[in-house]
Amino acid sequence: MSPAPLPPAVRAVFLTNEVLALLLELLSLGLLAWWGFTRDIGWAGSLLPAVAAPLGAALVWGLFAAPKARYAIPHAARLGVKAVVFGAAALALLGIGHRWPAVWFAVAVLDNTALASYYRTRS
């Protein structure tokens, strides 16, 4: 027996939260690249972490945390992968010297992930 469909208002909140999740994921990659470019090792030297950090995060995300991930892992493990990637992005922002934006980013990620997990476990 399939679960009852979500009411329209709840479905709108769910879809909005999904769009926000995508934006936060893309922002994470951008923050990791920004952090890489700010390393004080010259322009050519900062290019490596600026490319490797977001590329590594995208690879891990695609393998384990994406909706169509290559490897199906338990929900708790998926949340762990998300915590590592989003946590690295928040720490990158903190490392650049933006304390309050890092805190707000972390709070937005926590709220978004909690709401997404709630809706996904109900449907």
Side-chain angles (χ1 to χ4, degrees):
M1 183 171 172
S2 63
L6 296 173
V10 175
R11 183 157 173 74
V13 171
F14 171 75
L15 293 175
T16 302
N17 195 60
E18 291 297 303
V19 169
L20 179 60
L22 175 64
L23 294 175
L24 289 170
E25 293 159 13
L26 294 174
L27 180 59
S28 294
L29 298 177
L31 291 173
L32 290 169
W34 185 18
W35 170 83
F37 273 123
T38 62
R39 299 304 84 213
D40 194 19
I41 49 180
W43 188 87
S46 65
L47 189 60
L48 179 63
V51 172
L55 189 61
L59 179 67
V60 169
W61 192 277
L63 290 174
F64 302 108
K68 294 182 180 180
R70 172 108 173 146
Y71 300 102
I73 58 175
H75 184 66
R78 185 176 303 111
L79 290 176
V81 170
K82 288 182 177 189
V84 168
V85 172
F86 283 134
L91 289 174
L93 192 54
L94 184 64
I96 296 168
H98 298 283
R99 182 186 333 183
W100 287 112
V103 170
W104 285 110
F105 174 76
V107 168
V109 164
L110 285 171
D111 288 346
N112 176 266
T113 304
L115 192 57
S117 293
Y118 173 75
Y119 281 124
R120 287 184 185 136
T121 55
R122 291 199 50 171
S123 57

